[in-house]
Amino acid sequence: MEQQPLRSSNWFGRTGKDGFVYRAWMKNQGIPPDMFEGKPVIGICNTWSELTPCNAHFRDLATAVKKGVLEAGGFPLEFPVMSLGETLIKPTAMLYRNLVSMDVEESIRANPIDAVVLLCGCDKTTPSLIMGACSVDIPTLVISGGPMLKGHWRGKDIGTSDLWRFDTASQLGQITPEEFVDAEACMARTQGHCAVMGTASTMAVMVEALGLSLPDNASIPAADARRKVFSQLSGRRIVEMVREDLTLSKILTRKAFENAIMINAAIGGSTNFVIHLLAIAGRISMNLSIDDFDKYSQGIPLLANIQPSGENYMEDLYYSGGLPALIKEMATIVHNDAITVNGKTIGDNCADSKVYDRKIIGTMDKPFKLESGVIVVRGNLAPNGAVLKPSAATSHLLKHSGKAVVFENIEDYHARINDPDLEIDKDSIMVLKNVGPKGYPGMAEVGNMTLPKKILELGITDLVRISDGRMSGTGFGTVILHVSPEAAVGGPLALVQNGDIISLDAHSRTLELEIGPEEWARRTAAWKQNERMHDRGYLHLYQTHVEQAHLGADLDFLKGGSGSRVARDSH
Ligand code: FES
């Protein structure tokens, strides 16, 4: 293959004043002159931050990547971008996903970078980095930070999904405040992201399923020395990718997206997968729709016995053969010929894998649950669709009619959820409005509303819940999310009132509000615009331009890409 001139040579290969400026200010970092002579420059895009605890070990990973880049004859340069820590950022990390993607896109394009390694872990750090890189489209390889080791508390293994159980137990007085606090350090006891199949692990699986990482990215624990080896090998490989001109768009084919959806179903991945994959597809101009998630999930059972859909933890998946072994179980379904960053197909990468523990990785004939993936429901309450994760739901509630108990916004929910006069029973359907992309703004992870104490005291642990928001990937329940259009733009969700009958039939994919046309018209005429519009700063930009959930909630002007060409070159 004829070698193209390196993109970075337009900086470091120049003569005269320009070349002097580009090199001289780099040399003050102690870089020898031969590093500027025709070596591929590998950007290492790092979301390290002490404010993102899940990514706090990333400087070590970057060091390992650099070793690999140097070994392969490249020139590594690490750079920071805004980091999104799910646990600390308010009002929600999702509000800033698109902002980070702009930071990543512009940082790559504006600098002398021939290829980029993306270091991501905590939920939104993965889609935001990939979205930004897609809009530039140079050779790109992704490394996830790896999951935490499972926690231990009072003789039991625990992980993030137990947070919801501890919360319920605490409300019911089954554990003391001291025991609740004691569990904190027992759960998060090592570096890494959440140890269950929450959104971060789902994203790490997505990366591997799309072919954007070397095999085993999804499950090597953060604390395992092999995560560093993996990073070093990735550093070696990205240099070869420059020589092969293996750009993102060559890997992110239609087959890669379909593989990601099928594999997400088999692992019981987070519903957040839907919104992030749609946004990534939008950046690479791939025609992917919300209905593709339902279509390609159908018939795929749950093969990974990992919480919250199953019982175990991400490290167990690794010890049992990892994602390659699970994908091999799906060999008759997935597109085995989809190319990956190592230049081999996904089928080749899985060919020699073995399953070591059938309690963790099932077979297509003997899965852990028959129904998995994502169900997309539509109807007069969600004309553009809403999503539901059947593997985390209660099966008898998948077909259910009940009276709505409506909360106008999250503050209303907090104010009234434990009001003794709240009219709610085991058949009620909880409805939460104004937590969507524009309405919150940022589409908060509040859709799996904790049930009122008086319902929990009856021993009831699940009710149908409906909102235009999202749910943590670690959460569970019969929770209908991402209702589109959202209430804040006048979607039908805005019209629901206490006592209305709502009918869900997940099997026939319907979600209906049972009110007559005259009443519907009366309520539509009475609807008023959300008063929470912001008039300055990023919130204004976001609320003005964010798209609805069924399109991926990207900003409308960020769709597609602008390539790697710098707009003006005045030096
Ligand atoms: Fe970072 Fe769960 S909080 S992955």
Side-chain angles (χ1 to χ4, degrees):
M1 188 191 307
E2 193 186 330
Q3 200 65 53
Q4 298 291 318
L6 291 171
R7 183 171 182 271
S8 59
S9 68
N10 203 25
W11 283 260
F12 298 140
R14 286 205 180 177
T15 55
K17 176 173 91 22
D18 291 351
F20 182 101
V21 170
Y22 294 135
R23 290 183 297 271
W25 269 264
M26 292 295 289
K27 286 179 177 174
N28 78 348
Q29 299 179 75
I31 296 168
D34 65 349
M35 296 305 282
F36 299 97
E37 289 166 8
K39 292 189 195 291
V41 177
I42 308 300
I44 302 171
C45 178
N46 202 341
T47 49
W48 168 86
S49 169
E50 288 175 344
L51 291 170
T52 305
C54 302
N55 298 14
H57 60 299
F58 279 19
R59 307 211 76 179
D60 289 344
L61 296 187
T63 301
V65 176
K66 285 180 191 172
K67 273 195 219 167
V69 170
L70 291 167
E71 285 163 353
F75 176 17
L77 293 172
E78 183 182 350
F79 63 97
V81 287
M82 183 181 181
S83 188
L84 301 177
E86 210 58 36
T87 53
L88 299 180
I89 278 198
K90 294 185 181 188
T92 168
M94 181 65 178
L95 175 63
Y96 303 107
R97 184 197 67 180
N98 303 336
L99 179 63
V100 174
S101 77
M102 282 199 276
D103 182 355
V104 173
E105 174 183 345
E106 302 303 333
S107 294
I108 295 172
R109 183 180 300 113
N111 282 295
I113 291 172
D114 297 304
V116 67
V117 174
L118 308 177
L119 296 186
C120 35
C122 199
D123 302 11
K124 309 302 176 297
T125 58
T126 302
S128 56
L129 266 56
I130 296 174
M131 288 161 67
C134 281
S135 291
V136 185
D137 194 21
I138 60 174
T140 302
L141 187 151
V142 185
I143 299 174
S144 302
M148 292 179 205
L149 296 177
K150 61 184 115 177
H152 295 291
W153 185 66
R154 304 196 170 186
K156 277 184 9 197
D157 293 340
I158 59 169
T160 314
S161 294
D162 289 291
L163 173 59
W164 312 106
R165 298 183 190 108
F166 288 146
D167 184 38
T168 299
S170 160
Q171 285 209 44
L172 295 175
Q174 293 166 348
I175 60 173
T176 65
E178 292 73 29
E179 287 173 319
F180 192 74
V181 171
D182 183 47
E184 290 172 4
C186 301
M187 187 195 75
R189 69 187 177 97
T190 73
Q191 59 198 27
H193 55 246
C194 292
V196 298
M197 195 61 81
T199 302
S201 293
T202 300
M203 289 292 97
V205 169
M206 177 193 78
V207 162
E208 191 171 337
L210 285 169
L212 294 180
S213 71
L214 298 184
D216 278 327
N217 176 66
S219 62
I220 303 174
D224 193 310
R226 287 168 285 188
R227 181 57 68 177
K228 282 192 190 158
V229 174
F230 177 87
S231 301
Q232 188 166 338
L233 296 177
S234 298
R236 290 183 193 168
R237 175 59 196 158
I238 188 72
V239 178
E240 293 169 7
M241 287 173 68
V242 176
R243 299 188 177 121
E244 295 164 13
D245 193 30
L246 187 52
T247 52
L248 260 179
S249 56
K250 291 177 184 163
I251 294 168
L252 290 180
T253 60
R254 176 82 197 178
K255 287 181 178 177
F257 281 93
E258 291 174 7
N259 278 347
I261 294 171
M262 291 187 270
I263 292 165
N264 181 68
I267 59 154
S270 159
T271 45
N272 285 312
F273 167 79
V274 177
I275 206 153
H276 298 321
L277 197 73
L278 283 168
I280 291 167
R283 294 298 184 94
I284 209 88
S285 301
M286 176 65 59
N287 186 15
L288 194 74
S289 90
I290 189 173
D291 296 311
D292 287 323
F293 291 80
D294 199 320
K295 177 177 169 190
Y296 292 103
S297 294
Q298 282 204 31
I300 298 188
L302 184 71
L303 297 185
N305 187 9
I306 310 294
Q307 293 190 34
S309 298
E311 297 162 336
N312 300 287
Y313 299 86
M314 289 302 292
E315 66 177 286
D316 299 313
L317 178 62
Y318 183 52
Y319 309 145
S320 307
L323 194 67
L326 184 144
I327 296 173
K328 194 176 172 189
E329 294 297 326
M330 306 172 70
T332 55
I333 308 171
V334 295
H335 303 295
N336 290 296
D337 58 343
I339 199 79
T340 74
V341 287
N342 66 0
K344 298 181 186 164
T345 65
I346 198 161
D348 290 341
N349 286 340
C350 302
D352 297 329
S353 301
K354 285 193 177 65
V355 175
Y356 299 106
D357 189 345
R358 283 292 177 200
K359 293 192 294 304
I360 309 293
I361 300 177
T363 66
M364 294 296 287
D365 295 333
K366 271 194 158 180
F368 300 104
K369 289 183 182 174
L370 283 175
E371 201 164 17
S372 194
V374 173
I375 283 176
V376 176
V377 292
R378 286 173 190 275
N380 67 3
L381 194 48
N384 293 330
V387 302
L388 167 71
K389 180 173 167 181
S391 60
T394 304
S395 51
H396 79 265
L397 290 175
L398 290 173
K399 186 170 183 342
H400 181 77
S401 287
K403 281 189 185 168
V405 177
V406 178
F407 302 98
E408 291 297 325
N409 52 46
I410 192 65
E411 290 79 14
D412 183 31
Y413 163 79
H414 287 306
R416 295 196 295 117
I417 186 62
N418 283 319
D419 182 337
D421 295 333
L422 185 72
E423 287 188 27
I424 189 164
D425 61 29
K426 67 177 177 38
D427 296 320
S428 298
I429 293 183
M430 294 169 68
V431 174
L432 176 59
K433 304 177 185 176
N434 291 306
V435 290
K438 282 185 200 280
Y440 192 68
M443 212 180 169
E445 278 189 346
V446 292
N448 57 327
M449 297 165 265
T450 304
L451 306 189
K453 196 172 167 204
K454 64 182 182 184
I455 290 289
L456 294 171
E457 283 170 345
L458 298 173
I460 296 164
T461 54
D462 195 10
L463 297 182
V464 174
R465 287 159 270 178
I466 302 175
S467 77
D468 46 15
R470 298 177 301 115
M471 169 172 85
S472 165
T474 62
F476 43 84
T478 312
V479 186
I480 298 179
L481 302 151
H482 309 189
V483 168
S484 179
E486 62 178 299
V489 299
L493 192 68
L495 308 183
V496 185
Q497 295 182 358
N498 279 318
D500 287 346
I501 300 294
I502 295 176
S503 296
L504 164 71
D505 186 347
H507 308 297
S508 61
R509 308 297 196 251
T510 56
L511 182 66
E512 300 287 342
L513 175 61
E514 311 282 354
I515 59 173
E518 283 172 17
E519 179 62 10
W520 190 284
R522 191 189 66 75
R523 291 187 194 181
T524 303
W527 177 77
K528 288 200 182 65
Q529 172 79 36
N530 168 32
E531 74 283 7
R532 288 169 183 265
M533 294 300 284
H534 294 264
D535 59 7
R536 76 158 296 280
Y538 175 68
L539 263 62
H540 174 68
L541 180 80
Y542 181 89
Q543 279 190 315
T544 308
H545 290 282
V546 71
E547 295 194 322
Q548 288 295 288
H550 71 285
L551 299 173
D554 200 359
L555 303 185
D556 51 12
F557 61 86
L558 289 175
K559 290 273 183 89
S562 305
S564 62
R565 211 168 144 262
V566 181
R568 301 290 288 272
D569 191 355
S570 59
H571 277 283

